[in-house]
């Protein structure tokens, strides 16, 4: 006959005789810290909530009730911002430039970081120093030679020029982060793969790449945000309004709709949605990447 202890072990999934884990004691300092963090989070997110709520109201309603709720919600401002104010064009341009440049910099950095982390060649070690030296150079100082070079080959007002510039600017940081993660992987993985007949590329693609997914997510997010929000390079290099990205397009958008508050809030909400979605999707990987190596 099964004893009571065995029955409890079977139903709870805990081994017989296992002692329950004790929760850490609640302290006044811990409660105060949690309360402060929740208060700070509420304070930080409140402008985003107000922006979304006001985008669902009319300008007349906001003038009459500044802190009112969108009852009923009005989505006409989103249609006006997307179609009439050319927000669709700005949004798609930003998506193309940001996604392509992040893929370019991440792809190059992955292969370079793997080579730097696994090499013993002094030449490649020197080349790694050249890669990382890009972290010490102020990127905006290169705008004049870049402009003259792109103008000479007639690549101004071209999204490809932005993709190449952002991709090149992201390589030093991405290589530095990814090489640090590759160096944490044991060399025995390479030796075991070599014994199984795998070449360097197969070892990189099938073994190491899945293990550094948190680092890849961290690099993607840290490159996506500044490229998406960058105002400087599109302002200098893009002259055609149909090639404007969101930051430059929003300045023109504000000039035309400065009295139409509902449309302005709708446009800002549309510009913020990709960043919010990216953080929500990649939060777990980002935390894993930032805390890797902190605990055993």
């Amino acid at each position: 006959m099964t004893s009571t202890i065995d029955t409890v072990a079977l139903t709870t999934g805990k081994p017989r005789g296992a002692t329950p884990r004790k929760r850490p004691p609640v302290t006044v300092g811990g409660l105060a810290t949690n309360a402060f963090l929740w208060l700070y989070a509420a304070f930080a997110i409140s402008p985003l909530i107000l922006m979304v709520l006001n985008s669902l109201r009319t300008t007349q309603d906001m003038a009459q009730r500044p802190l009112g709720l969108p009852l009923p919600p009005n989505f006409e401002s989103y249609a006006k911002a997307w179609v009439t104010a050319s927000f669709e064009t700005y949004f798609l341009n930003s998506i193309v430039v940001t996604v392509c440049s992040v893929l370019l910099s991440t792809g190059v950095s992955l292969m370079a970081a793997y080579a730097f982390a696994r090499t013993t060649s002094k030449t490649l070690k020197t080349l790694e120093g050249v890669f990382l030296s890009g972290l010490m150079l102020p990127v905006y100082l290169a705008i004049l030679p870049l402009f003259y070079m792109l103008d000479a080959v007639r690549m101004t007002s071209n999204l490809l020029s932005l993709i190449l510039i952002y991709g090149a600017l992201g390589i030093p940081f991405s290589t530095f982060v990814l090489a640090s993660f590759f160096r944490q992987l044991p060399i025995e993985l390479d030796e075991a793969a070599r014994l199984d007949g795998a070449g360097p590329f197969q070892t990189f693609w099938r073994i190491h790449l899945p293990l550094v997914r948190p680092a890849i997510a961290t690099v993607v997010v840290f490159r996506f945000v500044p490229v998406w929000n960058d105002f400087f390079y599109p302002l200098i290099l893009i002259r055609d309004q149909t090639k404007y990205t969101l930051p430059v397009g929003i300045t023109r958008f504000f000039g035309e709709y400065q009295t139409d508050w509902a449309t302005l809030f709708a446009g800002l909400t549309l510009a913020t949605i990709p960043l919010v979605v990216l953080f929500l999707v990649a939060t777990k990987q980002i935390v894993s990447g930032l805390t890797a190596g902190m605990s055993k």
Side-chain angles (χ1 to χ4, degrees):
M1 182 180 293
T2 306
S3 64
T4 305
I5 297 178
D6 293 333
T7 304
V8 172
L10 291 173
T11 55
T12 60
K14 296 180 180 179
R16 181 176 179 178
T19 57
R21 295 180 60 185
K22 294 183 179 180
R23 295 183 178 180
V26 179
T27 61
V28 177
L31 291 175
T33 302
N34 288 334
F36 173 77
L37 292 176
W38 279 108
L39 182 64
Y40 175 78
F43 179 77
I45 203 173
S46 57
L48 295 177
I49 295 175
L50 288 175
M51 179 182 67
V52 175
L53 293 178
N54 288 329
S55 69
L56 299 174
R57 303 168 62 192
T58 62
T59 302
Q60 183 180 1
D61 185 33
M62 280 186 278
Q64 295 175 353
R65 300 182 301 129
L67 297 179
L69 294 176
L71 298 173
N74 178 29
F75 294 94
E76 293 181 0
S77 57
Y78 282 92
K80 186 176 182 180
W82 187 258
V83 180
T84 308
S86 302
F87 222 79
E88 176 185 8
T89 302
Y90 306 149
F91 191 89
L92 293 178
N93 289 340
S94 287
I95 287 290
V96 170
V97 170
T98 305
V99 172
C100 292
S101 61
V102 170
L103 289 177
L104 176 62
S105 63
T106 305
V108 173
S109 301
L110 272 170
M111 293 183 286
Y114 177 71
F116 293 150
R118 286 295 185 256
T119 187
T120 57
S121 170
K122 293 183 179 180
T123 302
L124 286 181
K125 291 295 183 182
T126 304
L127 185 60
E128 181 181 8
V130 174
F131 268 65
L132 299 183
S133 64
L135 294 172
M136 300 181 291
L137 299 176
V139 294
Y140 296 121
L141 292 181
I143 186 59
L144 279 178
L146 281 175
F147 178 82
Y148 288 131
M149 180 179 65
L150 294 173
D151 188 58
V153 296
R154 299 181 180 180
M155 284 189 63
T156 55
S157 295
N158 193 329
L159 296 182
L160 179 60
S161 62
L162 293 179
I163 293 172
L164 294 176
I165 289 174
Y166 289 138
L169 294 178
I171 289 176
F173 170 78
S174 302
T175 303
F176 173 74
V177 174
L178 293 170
S180 301
F181 273 79
F182 279 122
R183 288 192 174 97
Q184 294 179 8
L185 301 179
I187 196 66
E188 287 77 12
L189 293 175
D190 300 68
E191 297 173 354
R194 195 178 301 113
L195 290 175
D196 290 337
F201 183 78
Q202 290 178 317
T203 304
F204 164 74
W205 183 259
R206 295 186 178 182
I207 298 177
H208 290 89
L209 202 59
L211 295 176
V212 296
R213 281 182 299 179
I216 297 174
T218 304
V219 165
V220 167
V221 172
F222 274 82
R223 287 306 306 158
F224 190 98
V225 175
V227 173
W228 181 268
N229 292 329
D230 186 60
F231 176 79
F232 183 75
Y233 283 108
L235 177 66
I236 302 298
L237 299 176
I238 303 299
R239 303 171 186 175
D240 186 358
Q241 293 184 359
T242 61
K243 302 294 180 62
Y244 281 171
T245 56
L246 269 177
V248 180
I250 285 177
T251 59
R252 180 171 174 267
F253 180 69
F254 267 82
E256 293 183 3
Y257 295 90
Q258 58 182 345
T259 58
D260 192 350
W261 301 339
T263 306
L264 288 177
F265 282 120
L268 293 174
T269 303
L270 290 172
T272 309
I273 286 175
L275 299 179
V276 175
V277 172
L278 179 66
F279 274 103
L280 291 177
V281 171
T283 296
K284 183 177 180 180
Q285 297 292 336
I286 295 171
V287 173
S288 300
L290 293 177
T291 59
M294 296 178 61
S295 59
K296 296 182 178 180

